[in-house]
PDB file of all heavy atoms in Angstrom:
ATOM      1  N   PHE E   1       5.909  13.616   6.662  1.00 94.00           N
ATOM      2  CA  PHE E   1       5.532  14.968   7.228  1.00 94.00           C
ATOM      3  C   PHE E   1       6.835  15.677   7.537  1.00 94.00           C
ATOM      4  O   PHE E   1       7.450  15.514   8.600  1.00 94.00           O
ATOM      5  CB  PHE E   1       4.699  14.707   8.480  1.00 94.00           C
ATOM      6  CG  PHE E   1       3.313  14.124   8.129  1.00 94.00           C
ATOM      7  CD1 PHE E   1       3.095  12.800   8.186  1.00 94.00           C
ATOM      8  CD2 PHE E   1       2.339  14.957   7.643  1.00 94.00           C
ATOM      9  CE1 PHE E   1       1.936  12.229   7.871  1.00 94.00           C
ATOM     10  CE2 PHE E   1       1.034  14.449   7.320  1.00 94.00           C
ATOM     11  CZ  PHE E   1       0.834  13.094   7.404  1.00 94.00           C
ATOM     12  N   ALA E   2       7.214  16.511   6.627  1.00 93.00           N
ATOM     13  CA  ALA E   2       8.602  17.132   6.589  1.00 93.00           C
ATOM     14  C   ALA E   2       8.651  18.200   7.615  1.00 93.00           C
ATOM     15  O   ALA E   2       9.795  18.405   8.160  1.00 93.00           O
ATOM     16  CB  ALA E   2       8.908  17.559   5.226  1.00 93.00           C
ATOM     17  N   LYS E   3       7.628  18.916   7.822  1.00 90.00           N
ATOM     18  CA  LYS E   3       7.750  20.131   8.701  1.00 90.00           C
ATOM     19  C   LYS E   3       7.839  19.726  10.262  1.00 90.00           C
ATOM     20  O   LYS E   3       7.154  18.803  10.714  1.00 90.00           O
ATOM     21  CB  LYS E   3       6.547  20.995   8.460  1.00 90.00           C
ATOM     22  CG  LYS E   3       6.466  21.557   7.051  1.00 90.00           C
ATOM     23  CD  LYS E   3       5.200  22.375   6.811  1.00 90.00           C
ATOM     24  CE  LYS E   3       5.163  22.864   5.379  1.00 90.00           C
ATOM     25  NZ  LYS E   3       3.971  23.601   5.058  1.00 90.00           N
ATOM     26  N   GLU E   4       8.688  20.468  10.931  1.00 89.00           N
ATOM     27  CA  GLU E   4       8.955  20.042  12.273  1.00 89.00           C
ATOM     28  C   GLU E   4       7.799  20.184  13.235  1.00 89.00           C
ATOM     29  O   GLU E   4       7.545  19.296  14.143  1.00 89.00           O
ATOM     30  CB  GLU E   4      10.119  21.068  12.836  1.00 89.00           C
ATOM     31  CG  GLU E   4      11.438  20.803  12.119  1.00 89.00           C
ATOM     32  CD  GLU E   4      11.941  19.410  12.438  1.00 89.00           C
ATOM     33  OE1 GLU E   4      11.737  18.834  13.486  1.00 89.00           O
ATOM     34  OE2 GLU E   4      12.705  18.984  11.494  1.00 89.00           O
ATOM     35  N   ASN E   5       6.993  21.169  13.006  1.00 90.00           N
ATOM     36  CA  ASN E   5       5.800  21.283  13.875  1.00 90.00           C
ATOM     37  C   ASN E   5       4.762  20.237  13.666  1.00 90.00           C
ATOM     38  O   ASN E   5       4.175  19.632  14.558  1.00 90.00           O
ATOM     39  CB  ASN E   5       5.092  22.621  13.608  1.00 90.00           C
ATOM     40  CG  ASN E   5       5.068  23.063  12.143  1.00 90.00           C
ATOM     41  OD1 ASN E   5       4.665  22.205  11.306  1.00 90.00           O
ATOM     42  ND2 ASN E   5       5.385  24.221  11.829  1.00 90.00           N
ATOM     43  N   GLU E   6       4.632  19.730  12.409  1.00 92.00           N
ATOM     44  CA  GLU E   6       3.653  18.718  12.124  1.00 92.00           C
ATOM     45  C   GLU E   6       4.256  17.344  12.704  1.00 92.00           C
ATOM     46  O   GLU E   6       3.462  16.465  13.215  1.00 92.00           O
ATOM     47  CB  GLU E   6       3.478  18.629  10.621  1.00 92.00           C
ATOM     48  CG  GLU E   6       2.797  19.836  10.067  1.00 92.00           C
ATOM     49  CD  GLU E   6       2.625  19.824   8.558  1.00 92.00           C
ATOM     50  OE1 GLU E   6       3.100  18.897   7.888  1.00 92.00           O
ATOM     51  OE2 GLU E   6       1.883  20.713   8.068  1.00 92.00           O
ATOM     52  N   ALA E   7       5.594  17.076  12.623  1.00 94.00           N
ATOM     53  CA  ALA E   7       6.254  15.938  13.130  1.00 94.00           C
ATOM     54  C   ALA E   7       6.065  15.957  14.624  1.00 94.00           C
ATOM     55  O   ALA E   7       5.899  14.897  15.228  1.00 94.00           O
ATOM     56  CB  ALA E   7       7.675  15.866  12.780  1.00 94.00           C
ATOM     57  N   ASN E   8       6.148  17.114  15.283  1.00 94.00           N
ATOM     58  CA  ASN E   8       5.963  17.235  16.675  1.00 94.00           C
ATOM     59  C   ASN E   8       4.554  16.768  17.138  1.00 94.00           C
ATOM     60  O   ASN E   8       4.328  15.960  18.092  1.00 94.00           O
ATOM     61  CB  ASN E   8       6.133  18.665  17.195  1.00 94.00           C
ATOM     62  CG  ASN E   8       7.579  18.941  17.450  1.00 94.00           C
ATOM     63  OD1 ASN E   8       8.432  18.134  17.694  1.00 94.00           O
ATOM     64  ND2 ASN E   8       7.988  20.223  17.369  1.00 94.00           N
ATOM     65  N   PHE E   9       3.515  17.209  16.430  1.00 95.00           N
ATOM     66  CA  PHE E   9       2.124  16.776  16.704  1.00 95.00           C
ATOM     67  C   PHE E   9       1.958  15.281  16.548  1.00 95.00           C
ATOM     68  O   PHE E   9       1.480  14.568  17.392  1.00 95.00           O
ATOM     69  CB  PHE E   9       1.213  17.589  15.810  1.00 95.00           C
ATOM     70  CG  PHE E   9      -0.252  17.206  15.895  1.00 95.00           C
ATOM     71  CD1 PHE E   9      -0.896  17.642  17.079  1.00 95.00           C
ATOM     72  CD2 PHE E   9      -0.857  16.376  15.036  1.00 95.00           C
ATOM     73  CE1 PHE E   9      -2.333  17.282  17.193  1.00 95.00           C
ATOM     74  CE2 PHE E   9      -2.254  16.027  15.127  1.00 95.00           C
ATOM     75  CZ  PHE E   9      -2.874  16.408  16.193  1.00 95.00           C
ATOM     76  N   ILE E  10       2.351  14.821  15.401  1.00 95.00           N
ATOM     77  CA  ILE E  10       2.152  13.317  15.039  1.00 95.00           C
ATOM     78  C   ILE E  10       2.872  12.531  15.958  1.00 95.00           C
ATOM     79  O   ILE E  10       2.401  11.476  16.479  1.00 95.00           O
ATOM     80  CB  ILE E  10       2.512  13.035  13.606  1.00 95.00           C
ATOM     81  CG1 ILE E  10       1.621  13.769  12.671  1.00 95.00           C
ATOM     82  CG2 ILE E  10       2.478  11.519  13.343  1.00 95.00           C
ATOM     83  CD1 ILE E  10       1.986  13.661  11.284  1.00 95.00           C
ATOM     84  N   GLY E  11       4.185  12.783  16.345  1.00 96.00           N
ATOM     85  CA  GLY E  11       4.953  12.077  17.273  1.00 96.00           C
ATOM     86  C   GLY E  11       4.397  11.955  18.665  1.00 96.00           C
ATOM     87  O   GLY E  11       4.285  10.878  19.246  1.00 96.00           O
ATOM     88  N   SER E  12       3.916  13.117  19.191  1.00 96.00           N
ATOM     89  CA  SER E  12       3.279  13.100  20.464  1.00 96.00           C
ATOM     90  C   SER E  12       2.025  12.419  20.455  1.00 96.00           C
ATOM     91  O   SER E  12       1.636  11.735  21.438  1.00 96.00           O
ATOM     92  CB  SER E  12       3.130  14.523  20.977  1.00 96.00           C
ATOM     93  OG  SER E  12       2.315  15.280  20.123  1.00 96.00           O
ATOM     94  N   MET E  13       1.193  12.528  19.358  1.00 96.00           N
ATOM     95  CA  MET E  13      -0.064  11.825  19.345  1.00 96.00           C
ATOM     96  C   MET E  13       0.098  10.310  19.303  1.00 96.00           C
ATOM     97  O   MET E  13      -0.680   9.531  19.855  1.00 96.00           O
ATOM     98  CB  MET E  13      -0.852  12.291  18.091  1.00 96.00           C
ATOM     99  CG  MET E  13      -1.355  13.745  18.072  1.00 96.00           C
ATOM    100  SD  MET E  13      -2.547  13.978  19.377  1.00 96.00           S
ATOM    101  CE  MET E  13      -3.937  13.027  18.731  1.00 96.00           C
ATOM    102  N   ALA E  14       1.217   9.858  18.592  1.00 96.00           N
ATOM    103  CA  ALA E  14       1.429   8.380  18.620  1.00 96.00           C
ATOM    104  C   ALA E  14       1.737   8.012  19.997  1.00 96.00           C
ATOM    105  O   ALA E  14       1.290   6.844  20.380  1.00 96.00           O
ATOM    106  CB  ALA E  14       2.596   8.136  17.629  1.00 96.00           C
ATOM    107  N   CYS E  15       2.542   8.798  20.734  1.00 97.00           N
ATOM    108  CA  CYS E  15       2.805   8.323  22.161  1.00 97.00           C
ATOM    109  C   CYS E  15       1.477   8.326  22.977  1.00 97.00           C
ATOM    110  O   CYS E  15       1.251   7.418  23.795  1.00 97.00           O
ATOM    111  CB  CYS E  15       3.820   9.299  22.749  1.00 97.00           C
ATOM    112  SG  CYS E  15       5.495   9.127  22.130  1.00 97.00           S
ATOM    113  N   MET E  16       0.602   9.293  22.797  1.00 96.00           N
ATOM    114  CA  MET E  16      -0.638   9.337  23.593  1.00 96.00           C
ATOM    115  C   MET E  16      -1.490   8.176  23.344  1.00 96.00           C
ATOM    116  O   MET E  16      -2.140   7.676  24.215  1.00 96.00           O
ATOM    117  CB  MET E  16      -1.350  10.610  23.229  1.00 96.00           C
ATOM    118  CG  MET E  16      -0.708  11.922  23.720  1.00 96.00           C
ATOM    119  SD  MET E  16      -1.745  13.354  23.151  1.00 96.00           S
ATOM    120  CE  MET E  16      -0.546  14.682  23.102  1.00 96.00           C
ATOM    121  N   HIS E  17      -1.453   7.712  22.131  1.00 95.00           N
ATOM    122  CA  HIS E  17      -2.372   6.547  21.723  1.00 95.00           C
ATOM    123  C   HIS E  17      -1.739   5.177  21.981  1.00 95.00           C
ATOM    124  O   HIS E  17      -2.346   4.136  21.774  1.00 95.00           O
ATOM    125  CB  HIS E  17      -2.777   6.699  20.290  1.00 95.00           C
ATOM    126  CG  HIS E  17      -3.818   7.787  20.045  1.00 95.00           C
ATOM    127  ND1 HIS E  17      -3.446   9.072  19.936  1.00 95.00           N
ATOM    128  CD2 HIS E  17      -5.166   7.670  19.951  1.00 95.00           C
ATOM    129  CE1 HIS E  17      -4.626   9.763  19.802  1.00 95.00           C
ATOM    130  NE2 HIS E  17      -5.614   9.022  19.745  1.00 95.00           N
ATOM    131  N   SER E  18      -0.481   5.241  22.426  1.00 96.00           N
ATOM    132  CA  SER E  18       0.134   4.023  22.799  1.00 96.00           C
ATOM    133  C   SER E  18      -0.465   3.284  23.991  1.00 96.00           C
ATOM    134  O   SER E  18      -1.107   3.996  24.805  1.00 96.00           O
ATOM    135  CB  SER E  18       1.641   4.302  23.033  1.00 96.00           C
ATOM    136  OG  SER E  18       2.352   3.056  23.587  1.00 96.00           O
ATOM    137  N   THR E  19      -0.282   2.021  24.090  1.00 95.00           N
ATOM    138  CA  THR E  19      -0.840   1.336  25.408  1.00 95.00           C
ATOM    139  C   THR E  19       0.155   1.412  26.506  1.00 95.00           C
ATOM    140  O   THR E  19      -0.115   0.917  27.587  1.00 95.00           O
ATOM    141  CB  THR E  19      -1.265  -0.109  24.970  1.00 95.00           C
ATOM    142  OG1 THR E  19      -0.130  -0.738  24.473  1.00 95.00           O
ATOM    143  CG2 THR E  19      -2.459  -0.177  24.013  1.00 95.00           C
ATOM    144  N   ASP E  20       1.416   1.801  26.142  1.00 97.00           N
ATOM    145  CA  ASP E  20       2.550   1.862  27.109  1.00 97.00           C
ATOM    146  C   ASP E  20       2.326   3.154  27.995  1.00 97.00           C
ATOM    147  O   ASP E  20       2.354   4.186  27.468  1.00 97.00           O
ATOM    148  CB  ASP E  20       3.841   1.771  26.383  1.00 97.00           C
ATOM    149  CG  ASP E  20       4.929   1.673  27.410  1.00 97.00           C
ATOM    150  OD1 ASP E  20       5.346   2.677  28.045  1.00 97.00           O
ATOM    151  OD2 ASP E  20       5.564   0.539  27.421  1.00 97.00           O
ATOM    152  N   PRO E  21       2.326   2.976  29.324  1.00 97.00           N
ATOM    153  CA  PRO E  21       2.202   4.165  30.133  1.00 97.00           C
ATOM    154  C   PRO E  21       3.339   5.210  30.070  1.00 97.00           C
ATOM    155  O   PRO E  21       3.042   6.334  30.255  1.00 97.00           O
ATOM    156  CB  PRO E  21       2.030   3.540  31.577  1.00 97.00           C
ATOM    157  CG  PRO E  21       2.649   2.190  31.494  1.00 97.00           C
ATOM    158  CD  PRO E  21       2.376   1.734  30.083  1.00 97.00           C
ATOM    159  N   TYR E  22       4.469   4.750  29.854  1.00 97.00           N
ATOM    160  CA  TYR E  22       5.653   5.672  29.768  1.00 97.00           C
ATOM    161  C   TYR E  22       5.492   6.508  28.413  1.00 97.00           C
ATOM    162  O   TYR E  22       5.872   7.629  28.482  1.00 97.00           O
ATOM    163  CB  TYR E  22       6.907   4.896  29.788  1.00 97.00           C
ATOM    164  CG  TYR E  22       7.147   4.342  31.109  1.00 97.00           C
ATOM    165  CD1 TYR E  22       6.882   3.054  31.432  1.00 97.00           C
ATOM    166  CD2 TYR E  22       7.766   5.092  32.201  1.00 97.00           C
ATOM    167  CE1 TYR E  22       7.144   2.444  32.717  1.00 97.00           C
ATOM    168  CE2 TYR E  22       7.902   4.600  33.478  1.00 97.00           C
ATOM    169  CZ  TYR E  22       7.599   3.244  33.701  1.00 97.00           C
ATOM    170  OH  TYR E  22       7.761   2.789  35.032  1.00 97.00           O
ATOM    171  N   PHE E  23       5.073   5.787  27.291  1.00 97.00           N
ATOM    172  CA  PHE E  23       4.857   6.536  26.090  1.00 97.00           C
ATOM    173  C   PHE E  23       3.671   7.611  26.347  1.00 97.00           C
ATOM    174  O   PHE E  23       3.846   8.738  25.764  1.00 97.00           O
ATOM    175  CB  PHE E  23       4.530   5.578  25.030  1.00 97.00           C
ATOM    176  CG  PHE E  23       5.653   5.064  24.235  1.00 97.00           C
ATOM    177  CD1 PHE E  23       6.691   4.315  24.861  1.00 97.00           C
ATOM    178  CD2 PHE E  23       5.795   5.380  22.801  1.00 97.00           C
ATOM    179  CE1 PHE E  23       7.739   3.826  24.198  1.00 97.00           C
ATOM    180  CE2 PHE E  23       6.888   4.888  22.165  1.00 97.00           C
ATOM    181  CZ  PHE E  23       7.830   4.061  22.798  1.00 97.00           C
ATOM    182  N   GLN E  24       2.602   7.193  26.972  1.00 97.00           N
ATOM    183  CA  GLN E  24       1.492   8.119  27.203  1.00 97.00           C
ATOM    184  C   GLN E  24       1.966   9.322  27.989  1.00 97.00           C
ATOM    185  O   GLN E  24       1.623  10.412  27.605  1.00 97.00           O
ATOM    186  CB  GLN E  24       0.377   7.350  27.851  1.00 97.00           C
ATOM    187  CG  GLN E  24      -0.265   6.240  27.057  1.00 97.00           C
ATOM    188  CD  GLN E  24      -1.197   5.358  27.872  1.00 97.00           C
ATOM    189  OE1 GLN E  24      -1.089   5.269  29.104  1.00 97.00           O
ATOM    190  NE2 GLN E  24      -2.121   4.692  27.246  1.00 97.00           N
ATOM    191  N   TYR E  25       2.731   9.030  28.949  1.00 97.00           N
ATOM    192  CA  TYR E  25       3.198  10.193  29.829  1.00 97.00           C
ATOM    193  C   TYR E  25       4.085  11.125  28.950  1.00 97.00           C
ATOM    194  O   TYR E  25       3.961  12.351  29.088  1.00 97.00           O
ATOM    195  CB  TYR E  25       4.005   9.625  31.040  1.00 97.00           C
ATOM    196  CG  TYR E  25       4.691  10.788  31.784  1.00 97.00           C
ATOM    197  CD1 TYR E  25       3.988  11.715  32.513  1.00 97.00           C
ATOM    198  CD2 TYR E  25       6.106  10.846  31.718  1.00 97.00           C
ATOM    199  CE1 TYR E  25       4.556  12.653  33.320  1.00 97.00           C
ATOM    200  CE2 TYR E  25       6.661  11.962  32.437  1.00 97.00           C
ATOM    201  CZ  TYR E  25       5.935  12.828  33.155  1.00 97.00           C
ATOM    202  OH  TYR E  25       6.568  13.825  33.874  1.00 97.00           O
ATOM    203  N   SER E  26       4.935  10.525  28.235  1.00 97.00           N
ATOM    204  CA  SER E  26       5.888  11.344  27.443  1.00 97.00           C
ATOM    205  C   SER E  26       5.114  12.222  26.416  1.00 97.00           C
ATOM    206  O   SER E  26       5.325  13.366  26.205  1.00 97.00           O
ATOM    207  CB  SER E  26       6.809  10.457  26.611  1.00 97.00           C
ATOM    208  OG  SER E  26       7.808  11.187  25.847  1.00 97.00           O
ATOM    209  N   GLY E  27       4.036  11.605  25.783  1.00 97.00           N
ATOM    210  CA  GLY E  27       3.246  12.324  24.827  1.00 97.00           C
ATOM    211  C   GLY E  27       2.370  13.436  25.392  1.00 97.00           C
ATOM    212  O   GLY E  27       2.399  14.571  24.918  1.00 97.00           O
ATOM    213  N   TYR E  28       1.689  13.205  26.547  1.00 97.00           N
ATOM    214  CA  TYR E  28       0.886  14.145  27.144  1.00 97.00           C
ATOM    215  C   TYR E  28       1.686  15.298  27.742  1.00 97.00           C
ATOM    216  O   TYR E  28       1.312  16.507  27.709  1.00 97.00           O
ATOM    217  CB  TYR E  28      -0.059  13.589  28.229  1.00 97.00           C
ATOM    218  CG  TYR E  28      -1.235  12.891  27.621  1.00 97.00           C
ATOM    219  CD1 TYR E  28      -1.360  11.505  27.592  1.00 97.00           C
ATOM    220  CD2 TYR E  28      -2.287  13.630  26.920  1.00 97.00           C
ATOM    221  CE1 TYR E  28      -2.528  10.895  27.188  1.00 97.00           C
ATOM    222  CE2 TYR E  28      -3.325  13.025  26.409  1.00 97.00           C
ATOM    223  CZ  TYR E  28      -3.514  11.615  26.403  1.00 97.00           C
ATOM    224  OH  TYR E  28      -4.604  11.070  25.993  1.00 97.00           O
ATOM    225  N   SER E  29       2.745  14.983  28.490  1.00 97.00           N
ATOM    226  CA  SER E  29       3.604  16.005  28.989  1.00 97.00           C
ATOM    227  C   SER E  29       4.290  16.904  27.992  1.00 97.00           C
ATOM    228  O   SER E  29       4.534  18.130  28.278  1.00 97.00           O
ATOM    229  CB  SER E  29       4.600  15.455  30.049  1.00 97.00           C
ATOM    230  OG  SER E  29       5.504  14.600  29.278  1.00 97.00           O
ATOM    231  N   PHE E  30       4.581  16.346  26.850  1.00 96.00           N
ATOM    232  CA  PHE E  30       5.199  17.040  25.727  1.00 96.00           C
ATOM    233  C   PHE E  30       4.114  18.085  25.253  1.00 96.00           C
ATOM    234  O   PHE E  30       4.423  19.267  25.121  1.00 96.00           O
ATOM    235  CB  PHE E  30       5.480  16.131  24.598  1.00 96.00           C
ATOM    236  CG  PHE E  30       5.997  16.838  23.396  1.00 96.00           C
ATOM    237  CD1 PHE E  30       7.371  16.898  23.137  1.00 96.00           C
ATOM    238  CD2 PHE E  30       5.055  17.201  22.351  1.00 96.00           C
ATOM    239  CE1 PHE E  30       7.832  17.523  21.902  1.00 96.00           C
ATOM    240  CE2 PHE E  30       5.568  17.780  21.175  1.00 96.00           C
ATOM    241  CZ  PHE E  30       6.922  18.018  20.973  1.00 96.00           C
ATOM    242  N   ALA E  31       2.935  17.634  24.969  1.00 96.00           N
ATOM    243  CA  ALA E  31       1.809  18.578  24.524  1.00 96.00           C
ATOM    244  C   ALA E  31       1.517  19.668  25.526  1.00 96.00           C
ATOM    245  O   ALA E  31       1.360  20.791  25.160  1.00 96.00           O
ATOM    246  CB  ALA E  31       0.594  17.749  24.174  1.00 96.00           C
ATOM    247  N   LEU E  32       1.436  19.188  26.820  1.00 96.00           N
ATOM    248  CA  LEU E  32       1.216  20.201  27.877  1.00 96.00           C
ATOM    249  C   LEU E  32       2.232  21.252  27.898  1.00 96.00           C
ATOM    250  O   LEU E  32       1.962  22.479  28.076  1.00 96.00           O
ATOM    251  CB  LEU E  32       1.149  19.467  29.275  1.00 96.00           C
ATOM    252  CG  LEU E  32       0.954  20.376  30.451  1.00 96.00           C
ATOM    253  CD1 LEU E  32      -0.410  21.089  30.326  1.00 96.00           C
ATOM    254  CD2 LEU E  32       0.990  19.505  31.732  1.00 96.00           C
ATOM    255  N   ARG E  33       3.546  20.887  27.864  1.00 95.00           N
ATOM    256  CA  ARG E  33       4.587  21.929  27.893  1.00 95.00           C
ATOM    257  C   ARG E  33       4.502  22.956  26.806  1.00 95.00           C
ATOM    258  O   ARG E  33       4.569  24.143  27.027  1.00 95.00           O
ATOM    259  CB  ARG E  33       5.986  21.191  27.775  1.00 95.00           C
ATOM    260  CG  ARG E  33       7.203  22.214  27.890  1.00 95.00           C
ATOM    261  CD  ARG E  33       8.464  21.471  28.038  1.00 95.00           C
ATOM    262  NE  ARG E  33       8.690  20.556  26.842  1.00 95.00           N
ATOM    263  CZ  ARG E  33       9.278  20.993  25.750  1.00 95.00           C
ATOM    264  NH1 ARG E  33       9.713  22.245  25.637  1.00 95.00           N
ATOM    265  NH2 ARG E  33       9.462  20.195  24.792  1.00 95.00           N
ATOM    266  N   TYR E  34       4.149  22.510  25.607  1.00 93.00           N
ATOM    267  CA  TYR E  34       4.053  23.453  24.475  1.00 93.00           C
ATOM    268  C   TYR E  34       2.774  24.396  24.709  1.00 93.00           C
ATOM    269  O   TYR E  34       2.851  25.621  24.464  1.00 93.00           O
ATOM    270  CB  TYR E  34       3.842  22.686  23.115  1.00 93.00           C
ATOM    271  CG  TYR E  34       5.036  22.446  22.362  1.00 93.00           C
ATOM    272  CD1 TYR E  34       5.795  21.313  22.540  1.00 93.00           C
ATOM    273  CD2 TYR E  34       5.476  23.398  21.451  1.00 93.00           C
ATOM    274  CE1 TYR E  34       7.005  21.162  21.834  1.00 93.00           C
ATOM    275  CE2 TYR E  34       6.625  23.224  20.710  1.00 93.00           C
ATOM    276  CZ  TYR E  34       7.417  22.029  20.898  1.00 93.00           C
ATOM    277  OH  TYR E  34       8.621  21.867  20.191  1.00 93.00           O
ATOM    278  N   CYS E  35       1.700  23.848  25.187  1.00 95.00           N
ATOM    279  CA  CYS E  35       0.506  24.628  25.374  1.00 95.00           C
ATOM    280  C   CYS E  35       0.571  25.604  26.559  1.00 95.00           C
ATOM    281  O   CYS E  35       0.205  26.703  26.437  1.00 95.00           O
ATOM    282  CB  CYS E  35      -0.698  23.679  25.615  1.00 95.00           C
ATOM    283  SG  CYS E  35      -1.206  22.867  23.968  1.00 95.00           S
ATOM    284  N   VAL E  36       1.263  25.132  27.677  1.00 95.00           N
ATOM    285  CA  VAL E  36       1.385  26.006  28.710  1.00 95.00           C
ATOM    286  C   VAL E  36       2.346  27.168  28.391  1.00 95.00           C
ATOM    287  O   VAL E  36       2.150  28.356  28.775  1.00 95.00           O
ATOM    288  CB  VAL E  36       2.016  25.320  29.952  1.00 95.00           C
ATOM    289  CG1 VAL E  36       2.604  26.183  31.060  1.00 95.00           C
ATOM    290  CG2 VAL E  36       0.960  24.393  30.605  1.00 95.00           C
ATOM    291  N   ASN E  37       3.455  26.919  27.677  1.00 91.00           N
ATOM    292  CA  ASN E  37       4.333  28.040  27.251  1.00 91.00           C
ATOM    293  C   ASN E  37       3.620  28.977  26.353  1.00 91.00           C
ATOM    294  O   ASN E  37       3.808  30.244  26.482  1.00 91.00           O
ATOM    295  CB  ASN E  37       5.494  27.368  26.479  1.00 91.00           C
ATOM    296  CG  ASN E  37       6.430  26.586  27.345  1.00 91.00           C
ATOM    297  OD1 ASN E  37       6.491  26.925  28.603  1.00 91.00           O
ATOM    298  ND2 ASN E  37       7.341  25.852  26.756  1.00 91.00           N
ATOM    299  N   ASP E  38       2.672  28.494  25.484  1.00 92.00           N
ATOM    300  CA  ASP E  38       1.963  29.432  24.638  1.00 92.00           C
ATOM    301  C   ASP E  38       0.952  30.262  25.513  1.00 92.00           C
ATOM    302  O   ASP E  38       0.807  31.424  25.235  1.00 92.00           O
ATOM    303  CB  ASP E  38       1.271  28.749  23.607  1.00 92.00           C
ATOM    304  CG  ASP E  38       0.676  29.595  22.505  1.00 92.00           C
ATOM    305  OD1 ASP E  38       1.506  30.397  21.909  1.00 92.00           O
ATOM    306  OD2 ASP E  38      -0.544  29.405  22.094  1.00 92.00           O
TER     307      ASP E  38
END
């Protein structure tokens, strides 16, 4: 997935679906920041 926006989505989704709580926090807070800014 060469495009930056698509890599952003997939990378954050991988974190959200991780079983590690720090990964989950990183993924959800990443998505939230983008959406709140928009």
Side-chain angles (χ1 to χ4, degrees):
F1 295 95
K3 297 178 181 178
E4 293 297 326
N5 42 46
E6 297 179 349
N8 276 337
F9 176 76
I10 293 172
S12 60
M13 291 296 291
C15 288
M16 292 178 202
H17 286 79
S18 170
T19 57
D20 186 286
Y22 291 97
F23 271 63
Q24 292 171 339
Y25 172 72
S26 184
Y28 280 113
S29 61
F30 176 94
L32 175 61
R33 181 171 61 87
Y34 266 89
C35 291
V36 166
N37 285 343
D38 192 50

